[in-house]
């Protein structure tokens, strides 16, 4: 195609930038770029500014490693929360999920990843050391490992359990079983096996 | 939820900004915002800058109304293109689609919309007047109406035909029929009727 006949460079660059985001294919990236072109100057700069603000104003809480604007974060500062329990999650989004469930009033600890030897991610790459330091203060009595029920999530939970269990801290894991609204007929074998294994008296 | 315990304000604002983009639901917006949080400073500012650049550096070609960095645009400047034919499309993306087809070497005219009385969009809201002005120069002999085969697209083509037809300019419409690779059994009635109507000798 002749130089001048192709898409203008700034649009091409925006399409590529959008395409680099997770879950945005080439077609969606193009649609988004042309949307930016049509939208108001104000709307576009609001988006650009929001992107920059997130990078500039968000940091990690020095206690729980969750993302926050002020250190310590709102959860760690909140006097009404139970300071004897810490729920360990992989990502900041997991904190939101647990908060939404409404079933938890303790503190958090965000690992920002899971152990994954295949990807070269060892204990020194995620915030496990900071968890151990928190436990040394002696206030925490239970650590709930709420990493995902995946291979890596389980391995990480196991690793943490072996690391801190001997210090006398109770380490628990989120229950495994049938999700609410599930249909036995369509439940996968592993889930069903775990549901049977963890069966409880009614 | 307690003030400090919720999502930090900059993230919330970024989630909302992403959510305002077409085809980005609340979950995707959240995932994108947290991706920005994890990505490098450089990657994030590249995206922000690309958004701003598109708004600042892209304008409309004064001749064909297509988006461009330099006026007139590459298509209008290109001496090898056939200046006696103009293909009228709804959006800049349609120009790219027609270029990709490889079947066209004339000029373009981008309306930036279609007539839609229901949405209050009349001839004065899209670039029809600029098309009429171009035709007055006398060089253009055929206008191909390549608006979408939708109700609004058809109405717009009809309107333009009535407006410029009397001036002696040939107005054509893209052929309607079966798309390549279609299956008769699953083709909708309107398409099939149009394909029959427009049947050609082999």
């Amino acid at each position: 195609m002749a130089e001048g006949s192709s898409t203008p460079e700034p649009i091409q660059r925006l399409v590529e930038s959008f395409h680099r985001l997770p879950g945005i294919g080439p077609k969606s990236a193009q649609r988004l770029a042309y949307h930016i072109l049509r939208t108001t100057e104000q709307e576009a700069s609001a988006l650009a500014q929001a992107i920059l603000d997130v990078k500039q104003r968000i940091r990690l809480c020095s206690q729980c490693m969750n993302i926050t604007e002020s250190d310590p974060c709102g959860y760690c500062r909140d006097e009404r929360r139970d300071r004897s329990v810490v729920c360990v999650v992989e990502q900041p989004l997991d904190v939101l999920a647990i908060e939404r469930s409404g079933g938890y009033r303790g503190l958090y600890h965000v690992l920002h990843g899971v152990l994954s030897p295949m990807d070269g991610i060892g204990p020194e790459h995620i915030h496990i050391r900071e968890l151990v330091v928190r436990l040394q203060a002696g206030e925490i009595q239970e650590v709930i490992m709420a990493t995902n029920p995946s291979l890596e999530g389980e391995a990480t939970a196991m690793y943490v359990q072996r690391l801190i269990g001997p210090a006398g801290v109770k380490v628990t894991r989120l229950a495994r079983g049938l999700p609410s609204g599930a249909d036995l007929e369509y439940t996968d074998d592993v889930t069903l096996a775990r549901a049977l294994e963890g069966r409880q008296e009614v």
Side-chain angles (χ1 to χ4, degrees), chain A:
Chain A
M1 215 186 288
E3 174 268 315
S5 299
S6 59
T7 315
E9 188 272 337
I11 296 192
Q12 233 159 0
R13 193 150 41 81
L14 183 55
V15 171
E16 282 158 23
S17 276
F18 274 132
H19 188 19
R20 250 177 255 127
L21 298 176
I24 307 284
K27 285 261 173 184
S28 302
Q30 202 176 48
R31 217 170 304 127
L32 289 175
Y34 279 85
H35 169 82
I36 294 292
L37 197 64
R38 279 194 302 267
T39 194
T40 62
E41 186 85 41
Q42 197 190 354
E43 187 89 344
S45 46
L47 174 57
Q49 196 53 52
I51 291 167
L52 296 174
D53 279 356
V54 156
K55 296 307 282 186
Q56 279 155 14
R57 289 171 48 193
I58 301 295
R59 61 185 114 177
L60 299 188
C61 170
S62 59
Q63 292 176 29
C64 73
M65 303 292 132
N66 194 7
I67 51 167
T68 180
E69 265 199 277
S70 53
D71 185 18
C73 76
Y75 300 113
C76 289
R77 270 204 321 268
D78 190 343
E79 292 296 334
R80 293 160 304 173
R81 298 191 81 101
D82 181 354
R83 300 182 164 266
S84 69
V85 197
V86 167
C87 179
V88 179
V89 295
E90 295 181 18
Q91 301 293 350
L93 273 177
D94 300 331
V95 170
L96 297 186
I98 291 177
E99 283 295 300
R100 271 198 307 272
S101 79
Y104 185 67
R105 289 300 295 165
L107 300 180
Y108 289 99
H109 191 87
V110 184
L111 296 176
H112 289 272
V114 271
L115 298 179
S116 178
M118 298 283 283
D119 303 315
I121 298 173
E124 68 278 17
H125 297 108
I126 60 178
H127 297 286
I128 287 182
R129 195 175 48 79
E130 289 85 347
L131 176 64
V132 175
V133 171
R134 284 179 83 181
L135 294 175
Q136 281 161 359
E139 203 178 4
I140 297 161
Q141 277 148 37
E142 182 181 354
V143 171
I144 304 173
M145 290 304 298
T147 48
N148 284 330
S150 63
L151 208 64
E152 290 84 4
E154 294 289 3
T156 307
M158 194 89 75
Y159 177 89
V160 171
Q161 196 273 326
R162 284 192 189 151
L163 188 72
I164 65 181
V169 179
K170 185 162 120 190
V171 181
T172 57
R173 185 93 179 91
L174 290 187
R176 298 284 292 272
L178 298 174
S180 290
D183 192 327
L184 266 195
E185 189 182 343
Y186 300 110
T187 302
D188 69 281
D189 301 347
V190 179
T191 301
L192 208 49
R194 289 300 195 107
L196 275 165
E197 204 179 299
R199 67 190 180 279
Q200 297 180 326
E201 272 193 65
V202 286

